Amino acid sequence: MLLAIDMGNTQTAMGLFDGDELVQSWRMPTDRSYTADEIHVRLMGFFKMYGLSLDAVDAIAFAGVVPQLSREWHAVADRIAADAIVIGPQTAAVTKLRAARPQAVGADRVANAVAAETFYGAPAIVVDFGTATNIDVIDEDGYYIGGAIAPGIRISMDALAARAAKLASVPLEAPEHAIGRDTEECIKVGAVMGAAAMAEGLVTRMKRELGREDATVIATGGLAGIVADSTDAFDVVDGQLTIKGICEIYRRMQELG
């Protein structure tokens, strides 16, 4: 089985695949202080929770932005005798990038582009709501060509709470109205509907630049479901898109030999 790892700045998403089938998925905090021992113990706990065996994992594929944690994950892979690959230069032969600096494109964005083309067709636009809100554009030939990066919803809310003492932290929920009736609802409107409106505006402009109004728009990331409740800009909501892309890249690497 393959364990696909999407290591973001805030959370690490994991997916266990048996072939192309996603057997189970988990999330845990991305803590830069974690050692291989701590990661190993957490993994054993997740697997035990669902009656799975860590011994069944024969490969681990990473898409990550935290180099020191990548080293710890590699140590875990060695312990369980699993092959390990990292999305990036090692996998460039099976991915398609038309970027000014391909080596600088985030591994998660590469995985999103591969998954979008594979499962939903091209052209496509992926809006990934994570620590940052990433928008990835895939042209009609299936190549990642660029996109946009904006502060994520939680970053914006944390900054607001830190700078405005009277505005306490508010739970992230889709508001019922565009006009907030009290302070808490006003913050939800600004955060959630604001993120939805930004996505709508950028997606509209990107479709125009592509010359393809029919480009499939896919929302992913931990907050995609909440934002999707406030907009009809998305054709698909797929919270597992990135780990599915990691799995697809691993499959292509196996075929490449």
Side-chain angles (χ1 to χ4, degrees):
M1 289 189 180
L2 169 71
L3 183 61
I5 310 292
D6 173 25
M7 191 190 315
N9 283 297
T10 305
Q11 289 189 336
T12 295
M14 296 169 282
L16 181 66
F17 288 86
D18 185 359
D20 293 333
E21 180 187 356
L22 179 60
V23 176
Q24 191 57 254
S25 62
W26 308 270
R27 285 182 180 270
M28 71 179 189
T30 299
D31 188 328
R32 287 162 174 77
S33 70
Y34 280 167
T35 64
D37 291 333
E38 289 168 309
I39 293 170
H40 197 172
V41 168
R42 281 180 172 267
L43 273 182
M44 288 192 296
F46 287 134
F47 275 69
K48 185 177 180 180
M49 184 189 307
Y50 292 98
L52 299 166
S53 172
L54 196 54
D55 293 336
V57 175
D58 50 32
I60 297 179
F62 306 90
V65 296
V66 186
Q68 64 266 40
L69 278 180
S70 294
R71 290 191 293 270
E72 301 303 319
W73 275 101
H74 271 284
V76 173
D78 289 341
R79 288 182 185 183
I80 63 176
D83 294 332
I85 68 165
V86 178
I87 309 304
Q90 181 183 354
T91 60
V94 298
T95 59
K96 298 190 289 188
L97 304 178
R98 282 182 179 147
R101 295 175 57 218
Q103 70 278 10
V105 178
D108 55 341
R109 307 185 81 174
V110 175
N112 283 344
V114 168
E117 181 197 16
T118 301
F119 300 107
Y120 301 106
I125 299 172
V126 178
V127 187
D128 190 343
F129 294 98
T131 303
T133 297
N134 291 335
I135 305 182
D136 308 317
V137 181
I138 299 92
D139 70 12
E140 61 187 7
D141 298 320
Y143 281 81
Y144 167 90
I145 60 170
I149 302 175
I153 300 173
R154 291 194 187 279
I155 286 178
S156 299
M157 290 189 69
D158 288 347
L160 182 63
R163 296 280 182 162
K166 291 186 178 181
L167 299 181
S169 181
V170 173
L172 278 176
E173 301 169 346
E176 296 182 5
H177 316 282
I179 301 174
R181 303 299 196 242
D182 56 32
T183 301
E184 181 172 311
E185 196 171 53
C186 285
I187 294 172
K188 291 179 183 178
V189 170
V192 179
M193 283 194 176
M198 179 188 72
E200 290 169 359
L202 286 173
V203 164
T204 297
R205 293 179 182 218
M206 289 171 175
K207 283 184 174 181
R208 189 180 305 134
E209 285 189 22
L210 274 175
R212 291 294 298 267
E213 294 296 323
D214 61 340
T216 302
V217 183
I218 307 151
T220 192
L223 299 174
I226 295 171
V227 180
D229 288 338
S230 295
T231 180
D232 58 2
F234 309 130
D235 299 304
V236 180
V237 178
D238 186 345
Q240 310 295 355
L241 187 76
T242 311
I243 58 173
K244 285 161 68 175
I246 295 169
C247 178
E248 174 63 17
I249 291 170
Y250 174 79
R251 185 192 66 76
R252 293 180 184 182
M253 290 294 293
Q254 292 300 106
E255 287 186 350
L256 194 64

